[in-house]
Amino acid sequence: MIVALILLLLVLGSVIFHLVSPWWWTPIASNWAYIDSTLVVTFWITGIVFAAVVLFLAYCVYRFRHQPGRKADYEPENKRLEVWLTVATSIGVAAMLAPGLIVWKQFVTVPSEATEVEVVGQQWSWSYRLPGADGKLGASGVNWISADNPLGVSPHDSNGADDVIVEGGDLHLPIGKPVKVVLRSVDVLHDFYVPEFRAKMDMVPGTVTYFWFTPIRTGEFEVLCAELCGTGHAFMRSYVQVQEQAEYDAWLGEQVTFASLQRPRPVRVAAEP
Amino acid sequence: MANVSDRPDAGIPPAEVPDLPLPHPHTWWGRYVFSQDAKYIAIQYSGTAIAIGLVGLVLSWLMRLQLGFPGIFDFITPEAYYQFITMHGMIMVIYLLTAIFLGGFGNYLIPLMVGARDMVFPFVNMLSYWIYLLAVLVLVASFFVPGGPTGAGWTLYPPQAILSGTPGGQGAGIILMLVSLILFIIGFTMGGLNYVVTVLQARTRGMTLMRMPLTVWGIFTATVMALLAFPALFVACVMMLFDRLLGTSFFMPALVELGETLSYGGGSPIVFQHLFWFFGHPEVYIVALPAFGIVSDLISVHARKNIFGYRMMVWAIVIIGALSFIVWAHHMYVSGMHPYFGFFFATTTLIIAVPTAIKVYNWVLTLWKGDIHLTLPMLFAIAFIVTFANGGLTGLFLGNVVVDVPLSDTMFVVAHFHMVMGVAPILVIFGAIYHWYPKMTGRMLNEAMGQIHFWVTFIGAYAIFFPMHYVGLVGVPRRYPEIDASFITTPVAGLNAFISVAALVVGAAQVLFLFNLLWSLRAGRAAGPNPWRACSLEWQTPDTPPVHGNWGKDLPVVYRWAYDYSVPGAPEDFIAQNDPGPRIEKDVPL
Ligand code: HEM
Ligand SMILES: [Cu+2]
Ligand SMILES: [Cu+2]
C-alpha cells in the first residue's frame, strides 16, 4: 500500500520538478537549436516510458501484494507479448536515433564558407589565433614555441605572418558568420566549452580537432574548460564576444599579428630547410 | 513420457566432472586465514570490499561538503578535491563493486547454486583474494606518500595523469594507482578463470546451463566479459607506467608543459582513451549483469512466481554482454576522434537499449499476477527497477551522439552514471545481503533497522541524483570543486546544498546497515535452512550455514529449473530444484 503510494509520489514529484523547477539550460546563442529540440524529444519519450514503468510497477505492488490465500499465476513465457514489446521498444529507440544522426551529420559537415579560428589551450589559459588578410592560418607545432612565439606558429609558413594572435584577451566573432573552431593544445587535454553555443570538443596535444557553429546572438559568453587538465581546470576561463560586423572589424584592426610580435628578429619567409 | 525406471534420476546423464576430493586444512591458519573454501574467500572479499567502500563513501561526503558549501572547508583545496574524486571513483567502481559482485557473490553463490562442492581450483582462488588485498593496500598506501594519491580523475587520461599539473602526477600517487590496478587485474584473472571453469565444468547432475539461476548467468557472463576487457586496462596501465618511469611515449605527444619542452614525442593520448573505454564500457556491465541476475532471482522468489521469459532473460544477458564490446567510443564523442565514428557508436549504443529494456519489462511482468511479499529483498529489488529505469533512460540522451555534445562532461553525466551503475547495483547488493545473510549466518537481519535503511537509502539516493541531472542541464561541468560562471541564470547553490545534505543522510544510513550486520550475527532471529521458501540449490544444503564441501555425502541431483513457484497442483508454492516431485504440464522446454 504505502510502497505503491510512494512510487506514485516519486513519479509525480519527478514530473513536477521537471516542469516547474527553474533549472533549465541557458539560452542558446548558436545555430544548434536542433540539438536542443532533439534533447526535448528525448526528454518526452524517456519521461513517458519512465512514468509508465514506475506506475505499472506501483499498480502491480498494490494489486498483487501478498494477502492470505493469494496464489501467483504460473506463466513462464508469452511469446506474443515479448515480441510485441521488443518491436515497440525498437520503434521508440529508432525515433530518437534517427533525428539524432541527422543532426550529427550537420554537426560534422563544416560549411565551405566557414572561417577558421584557432583556439589554443594550455595549463591554464586560452589563446586565440585568427587568419589574417589571406584567410589562412599558418602551420604550427610545439617545437616552435618560445617566449615570443607562445602558440608555436611556424616561422617558415608565409600564411602565418599575418595571423592575428590574441593572448590572454577575449575571442571576438562576427554575428551570423559560420566559424570553424580549430582546436589545439600545447600540453594536456582541454575542452573548449561555451554553454550557450551547445557545441564542445576536446583539444588534444599532438593533433588538431575542430567543430563548427554560427553565433546568432551578440553578447559576452564565458569560456570554460570541460576536460580535466590539472589543478587549475575549474579556473581556466575566458570570454567570447559576439559582435556586429563593424564592431568586430574595428576590434580586429587593433590586434597584433604574428609578424609584428616577431619584429625584433624579422621573420625570414624562406623555403623550409 | 515419464520416467519408466523407478529411480527418479534414471534419465539424467552423469555430471561432467565427478565428485572431486577437497583440500582439508588442519591448522587454524589454513582454516581461518589462508582458507581455500570459496564461501570463506567470499566473506574475505566482501569484507575487504566493504571496508574500502567505506573510504569511498567518506570521500563522497567530503566532495559533497565542498560542492554544497564551497569556501567553508579550507582543507579541501582543488588538489584535494581532485584526489577525492579520483580515489572515490576508482574505489567504487573497481575495488568495491567489481570485487564484491564477482569475488564476493561469485565465490559464495556459484558453487552452491550449481551444486558443486567448491570452486575447481581452490588454491588459485585463495591467491586471488590475497592479491586483491595487496592491490587494496597499495591503493591505500597512496594516501600516505608525499604528494598524496593521484588526482587525474578515475579515467587517468594522459598526458595530465603523469605531469606535474595534476596532484600525484610527478609523485608516487599515479605509480601506486597503476601498480594497484595491475595487481587487481592479476588477482581478478585468477578468480575469474575459476568462476568460468566451475560454471562450465563442475555443475552437478541435471544442472543444465538452461536450468541455472539467472544469478549464475549474470555472474558468469560478467566474468567472461571481465576476462576479455581487463587486459585492455592492463596494457594501458603498463604502457602508462613506462611513459612515466622509463620515458617512453606510448601516450605522450611532443608537448610543452608550463613553458618547458618535455622529451616526449610521437604518442597518442587518444589511444589511451580507446584502451580505457574498451575496458571501461564493458566494466559498466561487469557491474550491471550480476545485479541483473541477482535481482531477477530476488523478484522471482519474493513474488512467488517464475521469472517471466527466462530464456529471453538469458539471451538478453548474453547479447548485452557481447554488444557492450562495440559501444565503447560513446564515451569519446567529443574526444577529438574521427567524427564519423559517432554514427556507428550511437547506433550500437541505442541498439543495446533494446535487450536492456526487455529485462526491465520482464522484471515488472514477473510481478504481474504475482503474490508479492514486500520483504526487504523485494523492496530493494523494486527500488532497483525504479533507479535503473531512470538511469538507463538518461543513457539514451548520452548515447545519442548529438544530444551528448552539450551534456558530456557536465554533472548530467555524473548523475546518469551514479543512477545506473552506482546506486542501482548497490541497491541490489543490499537486497542480496538481506536475502542471503540468513544462509550465510543462520540468522535474519533485523527488520526494523532494515526498513529504515531501505527508505533512507532509496529515497535519499533519488533525491541526490535526480536533481543533479538539472545541475548538468544548466551546464555545470563535472570535476569542478566550485562553480561560478556567467552562463548560470538560476543559481544552483541552493540545489547543491540540498543534494549535499541528502548525501550525508544517506551515508549515515549505511552506518546503521553495518551495525545491523554485526548486531544480527548474535541477536538476529534464527532463520532455518530456507526462510524464503526458495527453489534454488543453495537453500537446500544439509547445513546452514553450509559447511566445507557444501553437500554432505552426496551431491544433489537437479530435476527442474530454479523457478518452480506457485506451480498449479503442487502441494506447496515452490518445488526445490532437487525435488523429483511431480512433472509439470505447462513446463518450459528447458
Ligand atoms: C551516496 C553515494 C555517492 C555520492 C554522494 C557520490 C558523489 C560523487 C561526487 C560528488 C562526485 C564528483 C562529481 C564531480 O565533481 O565530477 C562523484 C564522482 C564519481 N563517483 Fe560517486 N558518489 C556516490 C556513490 C558512488 C558509487 C556507488 C559509485 C560506483 C559506481 C560512484 C562512482 C563515481 C565515479 C566513477 C565518479 C567519477 C570520478 C571522476 O570524475 O573521476 N559513486 N561521486
Ligand atoms: Cu581543463
Ligand atoms: Cu559506456
Side-chain angles (χ1 to χ4, degrees):
Chain A
M1 226 9 234
I2 178 102
V3 180
L5 191 69
I6 288 178
L7 292 179
L8 182 71
L9 289 176
L10 187 131
V11 173
L12 276 179
S14 304
V15 172
I16 292 172
F17 185 91
H18 180 84
L19 294 178
V20 309
S21 90
W23 295 286
W24 194 243
W25 55 47
T26 180
I28 194 166
S30 79
N31 59 318
W32 292 122
Y34 290 125
I35 294 186
D36 284 4
S37 18
T38 316
L39 208 153
V40 170
V41 171
T42 313
F43 252 123
W44 277 103
I45 297 183
T46 55
I48 290 170
V49 173
F50 179 67
V53 167
V54 180
L55 291 178
F56 184 77
L57 187 64
Y59 175 75
C60 287
V61 168
Y62 167 71
R63 175 72 183 69
F64 304 112
R65 69 189 183 281
H66 176 69
Q67 281 159 333
R70 142 150 245 116
K71 186 158 184 181
D73 201 27
Y74 188 82
E75 189 191 29
E77 292 187 338
N78 182 336
K79 272 263 154 49
R80 271 192 51 195
L81 182 60
E82 289 175 62
V83 170
W84 192 86
L85 284 170
T86 310
V87 171
T89 309
S90 308
I91 293 175
V93 165
M96 285 180 286
L97 180 63
L101 291 186
I102 292 170
V103 181
W104 181 246
K105 175 79 186 148
Q106 300 174 8
F107 190 81
V108 301
T109 316
V110 184
S112 51
E113 73 273 21
T115 32
E116 286 197 356
V117 171
E118 185 183 73
V119 182
V120 181
Q122 58 183 299
Q123 287 172 332
W124 289 278
S125 64
W126 304 99
S127 316
Y128 306 98
R129 182 160 66 116
L130 310 172
D134 62 357
K136 286 192 193 127
L137 288 169
S140 63
V142 288
N143 352 9
W144 286 301
I145 292 182
S146 65
D148 50 17
N149 185 2
L151 302 188
V153 180
S154 164
H156 306 296
D157 184 348
S158 56
N159 291 331
D162 63 349
D163 287 0
V164 169
I165 310 274
V166 183
E167 236 205 308
D170 297 345
L171 172 65
H172 291 238
L173 293 174
I175 186 172
K177 296 258 169 70
V179 267
K180 176 178 180 186
V181 188
V182 178
L183 302 160
R184 215 149 54 79
S185 163
V186 303
D187 42 32
V188 302
L189 304 177
H190 302 277
D191 187 302
F192 183 72
Y193 171 45
V194 179
E196 289 90 344
F197 296 161
R198 299 298 187 263
K200 66 160 87 71
M201 187 58 69
D202 278 10
M203 359 206 5
V204 184
T207 38
V208 177
T209 58
Y210 67 88
F211 68 86
W212 78 275
F213 74 103
T214 308
I216 57 160
R217 183 151 71 79
T218 56
E220 180 178 79
F221 305 104
E222 195 163 0
V223 178
L224 292 89
C225 180
E227 185 64 77
L228 182 55
C229 55
T231 43
H233 170 54
F235 311 105
M236 184 169 161
R237 302 287 174 89
S238 175
Y239 285 93
V240 177
Q241 312 278 357
V242 177
Q243 297 174 313
E244 298 296 342
Q245 187 71 42
E247 282 174 88
Y248 171 76
D249 291 338
W251 171 80
L252 193 61
E254 293 162 12
Q255 301 308 304
V256 291
T257 61
F258 176 61
S260 69
L261 277 175
Q262 306 284 303
R263 197 137 303 146
R265 282 181 288 114
V267 196
R268 280 186 313 272
V269 189
E272 274 194 61
Chain B
M1 288 294 251
N3 294 316
V4 268
S5 150
D6 32 340
R7 279 179 57 101
D9 60 352
I12 303 177
E16 278 177 54
V17 177
D19 205 351
L20 293 172
L22 280 183
H24 284 286
H26 298 291
T27 61
W28 182 87
W29 283 93
R31 215 170 287 157
Y32 297 109
V33 181
F34 296 102
S35 171
Q36 300 185 26
D37 185 324
K39 297 185 293 298
Y40 203 85
I41 296 172
I43 292 170
Q44 291 176 316
Y45 248 115
S46 310
T48 311
I50 291 175
I52 191 72
L54 278 177
V55 176
L57 180 69
V58 171
L59 290 172
S60 81
W61 292 343
L62 294 173
M63 283 148 26
R64 275 322 316 182
L65 284 177
Q66 166 65 26
L67 291 176
F69 313 99
I72 297 183
F73 300 92
D74 287 338
F75 71 99
I76 310 182
T77 56
E79 283 86 353
Y81 184 80
Y82 289 133
Q83 292 171 322
F84 295 166
I85 63 165
T86 306
M87 298 308 271
H88 162 81
M90 201 63 104
I91 285 174
M92 290 299 194
V93 174
I94 308 266
Y95 300 86
L96 171 65
L97 291 182
T98 309
I100 204 168
F101 271 123
L102 302 182
F105 289 103
N107 265 316
Y108 202 90
L109 294 175
I110 289 174
L112 282 168
M113 283 187 152
V114 303
R117 294 210 183 272
D118 207 316
M119 290 288 178
V120 285
F121 311 121
F123 181 76
V124 179
N125 207 22
M126 172 193 81
L127 274 188
S128 163
Y129 167 72
W130 289 99
I131 298 178
Y132 163 64
L133 181 64
L134 187 62
V136 170
L137 293 177
V138 171
L139 185 80
V140 171
S142 74
F143 281 101
F144 301 102
V145 294
T150 169
W154 88 284
T155 46
L156 304 180
Y157 281 0
Q160 52 98 11
I162 58 172
L163 295 182
S164 61
T166 299
Q170 282 292 302
I174 183 70
I175 299 175
L176 291 177
M177 170 59 87
L178 294 171
V179 168
S180 172
L181 285 172
I182 288 172
L183 286 171
F184 181 92
I185 296 168
I186 294 172
F188 165 76
T189 306
M190 294 181 168
L193 288 171
N194 230 327
Y195 316 152
V196 171
V197 178
T198 303
V199 169
L200 290 180
Q201 298 281 295
R203 299 189 312 278
T204 189
R205 271 183 80 190
M207 179 61 85
T208 58
L209 286 176
M210 285 311 244
R211 276 178 177 171
M212 293 197 305
L214 286 167
T215 298
V216 179
W217 267 110
I219 296 176
F220 171 71
T221 314
T223 308
V224 174
M225 290 173 62
L227 288 172
L228 297 173
F230 269 121
L233 180 66
F234 187 88
V235 294
C237 288
V238 172
M239 288 154 92
M240 179 139 54
L241 212 51
F242 284 1
D243 280 4
R244 167 72 176 74
L245 292 175
L246 307 180
T248 56
S249 291
F250 289 108
F251 305 130
M252 303 294 282
L255 55 89
V256 175
E257 189 201 20
L258 303 171
E260 194 192 335
T261 308
L262 303 187
S263 61
Y264 291 113
S268 164
I270 295 201
V271 172
F272 177 88
Q273 299 182 22
H274 281 295
L275 286 170
F276 183 88
W277 289 114
F278 185 83
F279 145 77
H281 187 82
E283 171 62 28
V284 175
Y285 285 97
I286 291 166
V287 170
L289 291 185
F292 289 178
I294 290 172
V295 86
S296 306
D297 287 353
L298 298 188
I299 291 174
S300 170
V301 173
H302 296 271
R304 316 305 298 157
K305 187 160 171 269
N306 58 62
I307 191 75
F308 181 79
Y310 171 81
R311 286 183 299 171
M312 190 85 144
M313 292 298 255
V314 171
W315 284 113
I317 288 182
V318 174
I319 290 172
I320 291 172
L323 281 179
S324 71
F325 279 95
I326 52 165
V327 299
W328 76 89
H330 63 206
H331 298 272
M332 299 169 58
Y333 288 143
V334 297
S335 70
M337 67 175 180
H338 195 287
Y340 276 45
F341 280 159
F343 293 107
F344 176 77
F345 285 101
T347 308
T348 53
T349 301
L350 267 69
I351 288 175
I352 222 176
V354 177
T356 310
I358 288 172
K359 298 204 70 91
V360 176
Y361 301 149
N362 285 6
W363 291 321
V364 184
L365 288 172
T366 302
L367 294 174
W368 177 252
K369 295 195 180 168
D371 172 19
I372 301 173
H373 291 62
L374 289 171
T375 55
L376 285 164
M378 179 55 109
L379 290 176
F380 276 102
I382 291 170
F384 163 82
I385 298 178
V386 174
T387 314
F388 182 76
N390 189 291
L393 287 165
T394 53
L396 294 171
F397 292 69
L398 301 172
N400 200 353
V401 53
V402 80
V403 184
D404 176 63
V405 171
L407 297 175
S408 77
D409 283 309
T410 66
M411 289 307 276
F412 189 95
V413 175
V414 176
H416 154 73
F417 72 69
H418 275 92
M419 279 279 190
V420 79
M421 83 165 306
V423 180
I426 291 232
L427 289 170
V428 174
I429 291 175
F430 288 138
I433 292 178
Y434 285 100
H435 184 77
W436 278 296
Y437 186 91
K439 177 56 53 177
M440 298 169 69
T441 64
R443 296 191 180 268
M444 309 295 283
L445 280 164
N446 179 284
E447 174 83 17
M449 280 191 255
Q451 288 279 347
I452 298 174
H453 174 228
F454 168 73
W455 287 109
V456 175
T457 305
F458 171 40
I459 303 299
Y462 196 84
I464 298 171
F465 294 112
F466 182 78
M468 195 187 281
H469 290 92
Y470 293 82
V471 178
L473 198 63
V474 166
V476 177
R478 69 189 282 202
R479 296 169 169 171
Y480 268 38
E482 56 191 286
I483 179 65
D484 165 31
S486 60
F487 70 86
I488 299 178
T489 44
T490 315
V492 290
L495 195 53
N496 262 332
F498 167 81
I499 292 174
S500 294
V501 172
L504 293 174
V505 174
V506 169
Q510 309 319 310
V511 179
L512 181 67
F513 170 68
L514 290 181
F515 176 75
N516 195 356
L517 284 185
L518 297 179
W519 191 80
S520 301
L521 265 186
R522 289 190 169 275
R525 190 158 52 79
N530 191 358
W532 312 117
R533 303 153 51 76
C535 302
S536 48
L537 280 186
E538 80 276 23
W539 298 103
Q540 326 303 335
T541 53
D543 307 276
T544 298
V547 294
H548 190 50
N550 293 351
W551 302 108
K553 198 163 100 1
D554 292 314
L555 287 174
V557 179
V558 168
Y559 298 90
R560 58 190 71 247
W561 67 339
Y563 301 100
D564 267 338
Y565 292 101
S566 307
V567 176
E572 289 198 77
D573 71 350
F574 76 108
I575 313 175
Q577 270 192 291
N578 61 347
D579 181 344
R583 269 190 59 81
I584 296 149
E585 253 175 78
K586 222 174 151 188
D587 205 352
V588 255
L590 297 172

